[in-house]
Amino acid sequence: MSVHELYKQKKAATSLEAVSIIQPREDIIVPLAVGEPPGLVQALAEHNGLEGNRLFQMLSLYPVLSVDPSKVKIVSMFLNKDERRAFYDKEVDLLPNHFSDLPQILKETTHDRVIMAAVSPMDEDGYFSLGTNCDYVAPLLKDAKRIILEVNENMPRTFGQNHIHIDQVDAFIENHVELPVTPEIPLRPEDEIIGKTVADLIQNGDTLQIGFGAIPNAIMNFLKDHRDLTIFTEMIPDKVVDLFESGAVSNLSNPLHKGSMTATFAFGTKKLYDFMDQNKQVQMYPVDETNDSCLIAKINQLVTINATIEVDLLGQCNSESIGGRYYSSTGGQGDFGIGARMSKGGKGIICLHSTTKGGTISKIVPTLATGSVVTTSKNDVDYIVTEYGVAKLRGKTIRERTKALIDIAHPNFRDELTDKAKDMGYL
């Protein structure tokens, strides 16, 4: 049977028809962010034959699925804004993880796996592309019990290890909705200062791991005159397109695909998705490769750039909870922080504003709030950057790093931090 005949045979008339093949107690896994298939996920709530199923999501860009938890238990691997509320209302549970570990964790802890994903249209050889994604889903395709796809003409066709053949597919729908996009993020003066400071730490020929947000955007604005940069990251943000167009990126140091950038997912605007489409300079790889600390450690001059919520005077970074309540999750910060620590000439940079709540609360604190999560340990932390400068912590004693952190805290809090540090015996 030709691939086009198979296409006609496996195409479902509705989302509900497609998901109706899912049986009770089968575990359902979807890609993170843009790769999640909204039509198929919403149809799960209408599937009356489900019982004891679990739905695994990560950084979902859609409202929490309204479904009886006895039918479908929702397990998040990185909370979104709606899931933060749902977690404490016990509508959603959270699975702690290093991003790189997810393929293995899911292999070990799930059974009768159903993969549902948004994909680009099929090519002449019968292959769909996971487009903006590869993540933890691609490594699970081979052993999946069922594969159900949502074909979307707006999903870019990308290259790498993220293709699915029509032979593997059990059912699919067509749903040509607009892809989710990142919101417009206005830059504050502090972002510009931090951006310039971090850009000055980056040298020509460095390999970068960088994400999205105001500070990463500001950093990339200052990198357009750099040369021979390599992008080896977990996520591709919009501003990477500007670095390509400026000639700053050559990708000559990429260990997975020399001459091309590699990532495991992308999240941006139509500008980014159009850039990715049919572009062999963009290669999508599974997260257990892009975020493998052992592989990352072999990259010379690796610079990793991440954000955090608060830093204590030991250098411990809490990047996933506020006031002791869960806000997000670990993501790849741990993976890249460990890899950068072992990289020859590497730099692990963590950025944050010095204050929050209109300057009333310091984000450099004597101790983390009770119940806070330590995302990056004091032994892995390297550079901390605020709008007041750079604290190089690796190789520093407790008293040296305490002083360095107080020096980049907001001036309004330095005396208080100094007094607390003395009380704690750190100064």
Side-chain angles (χ1 to χ4, degrees):
M1 189 178 295
S2 74
V3 295
H4 297 291
E5 289 171 329
L6 280 173
Y7 191 92
K8 291 178 183 178
Q9 182 187 88
K10 296 183 178 185
K11 181 180 177 182
T14 65
S15 298
L16 180 57
E17 180 184 323
V19 303
S20 66
I21 63 175
I22 302 174
Q23 299 299 306
R25 288 169 289 283
E26 292 179 344
D27 285 327
I28 305 159
I29 301 169
V30 298
L32 79 160
V34 182
E36 182 175 315
L40 295 175
V41 171
Q42 286 301 313
L44 293 174
E46 305 171 47
H47 185 348
N48 293 324
L50 298 181
E51 182 182 0
N53 298 78
R54 294 185 295 176
L55 171 63
F56 291 81
Q57 298 173 293
M58 185 173 190
L59 192 61
S60 177
L61 302 176
Y62 302 96
V64 177
L65 181 68
S66 180
V67 62
D68 185 336
S70 67
K71 286 179 57 177
V72 181
K73 176 182 177 181
I74 301 172
V75 180
S76 175
M77 297 173 286
F78 195 105
L79 298 177
N80 70 12
K81 58 184 178 63
D82 295 317
E83 289 170 338
R84 291 165 199 153
R85 187 264 323 152
F87 173 71
Y88 284 100
D89 287 345
K90 299 181 175 57
E91 298 170 16
V92 170
D93 207 349
L94 178 64
L95 176 65
N97 63 87
H98 286 302
F99 196 9
S100 63
D101 289 341
L102 276 178
Q104 190 59 37
I105 289 174
L106 291 170
K107 286 177 184 177
E108 292 174 355
T109 60
T110 62
H111 55 85
D112 295 329
R113 287 184 289 275
V114 178
I115 303 298
M116 301 198 315
V119 294
S120 68
M122 186 179 76
D123 67 13
E124 287 300 310
D125 295 317
Y127 286 95
F128 303 93
S129 164
L130 287 167
T132 55
N133 287 63
C134 190
D135 56 61
Y136 45 83
V137 162
L140 301 178
L141 292 171
K142 182 179 178 181
D143 298 325
K145 184 175 182 180
R146 310 180 200 281
I147 296 176
I148 308 172
L149 302 181
E150 185 166 317
V151 178
N152 187 343
E153 64 188 9
N154 296 303
M155 179 65 80
R157 172 168 294 279
T158 56
F159 299 93
Q161 298 179 11
N162 66 342
H163 291 174
I164 305 171
H165 196 269
I166 186 67
D167 284 340
Q168 300 171 268
V169 179
D170 293 278
F172 71 90
I173 60 163
E174 292 180 353
N175 187 27
H176 305 303
V177 295
E178 293 296 322
L179 299 179
V181 297
T182 49
E184 191 70 33
I185 305 174
L187 296 185
R188 296 161 51 181
E190 297 93 331
D191 300 324
E192 299 277 6
I193 295 169
I194 294 171
K196 178 66 167 63
T197 300
V198 173
D200 287 344
L201 293 171
I202 297 169
Q203 303 173 2
N204 290 336
D206 281 351
T207 295
L208 303 184
Q209 175 257 325
I210 193 167
F212 78 104
I215 292 175
N217 284 350
I219 294 167
M220 286 183 276
N221 284 342
F222 288 103
L223 293 177
K224 294 174 186 176
D225 291 329
H226 281 60
R227 287 297 176 265
D228 286 329
L229 298 177
T230 291
I231 307 298
F232 181 94
T233 192
E234 62 183 12
M235 176 199 156
I236 308 173
D238 246 38
K239 285 287 181 178
V240 162
V241 181
D242 297 340
L243 294 185
F244 271 89
E245 292 176 347
S246 71
V249 174
S250 68
N251 289 313
L252 293 179
S253 299
N254 195 318
L256 286 178
H257 202 284
K258 188 172 182 178
S260 296
M261 69 179 296
T262 52
T264 201
F265 78 106
F267 183 31
T269 66
K270 189 173 185 298
K271 170 185 173 181
L272 173 63
Y273 306 146
D274 288 346
F275 170 78
M276 296 176 68
D277 188 42
Q278 301 287 356
N279 187 348
K280 290 190 176 180
Q281 285 190 294
V282 179
Q283 298 282 327
M284 308 303 289
Y285 276 77
V287 70
D288 51 6
E289 294 188 50
T290 60
N291 286 45
D292 179 358
S293 295
C294 295
L295 176 63
I296 294 168
K298 296 176 183 177
I299 304 172
N300 294 340
Q301 291 181 234
L302 174 70
V303 180
T304 68
I305 301 164
N306 288 285
T308 196
I309 293 169
E310 61 180 354
V311 182
D312 72 11
L313 294 178
L314 295 174
Q316 298 182 120
C317 298
N318 160 32
S319 308
E320 49 195 293
S321 59
I322 296 178
R325 289 174 65 87
Y326 248 109
Y327 182 81
S328 55
S329 192
T330 306
Q333 187 169 135
D335 298 326
F336 278 93
I338 293 169
R341 174 170 59 77
M342 296 187 290
S343 164
K344 183 178 180 181
K347 298 183 179 82
I349 301 172
I350 293 182
C351 308
L352 74 164
H353 294 153
S354 64
T355 62
T356 189
K357 299 291 185 183
T360 61
I361 298 174
S362 177
K363 296 180 78 171
I364 294 178
V365 295
T367 59
L368 300 181
T370 301
S372 292
V373 175
V374 177
T375 307
T376 299
S377 82
K378 69 185 190 308
N379 300 334
D380 292 322
V381 74
D382 192 3
Y383 291 83
I384 302 290
V385 179
T386 73
E387 70 271 28
Y388 290 100
V390 179
K392 166 69 169 161
L393 301 186
R394 182 164 168 78
K396 294 283 199 306
T397 67
I398 296 298
R399 292 183 176 86
E400 289 169 340
R401 61 177 55 201
T402 295
K403 184 178 184 308
L405 286 166
I406 292 173
D407 286 345
I408 64 167
H410 193 286
N412 291 350
F413 294 94
R414 290 178 189 170
D415 287 345
E416 179 184 342
L417 287 168
T418 298
D419 290 341
K420 287 286 182 72
K422 289 177 178 177
D423 290 342
M424 296 165 67
Y426 289 0
L427 287 177

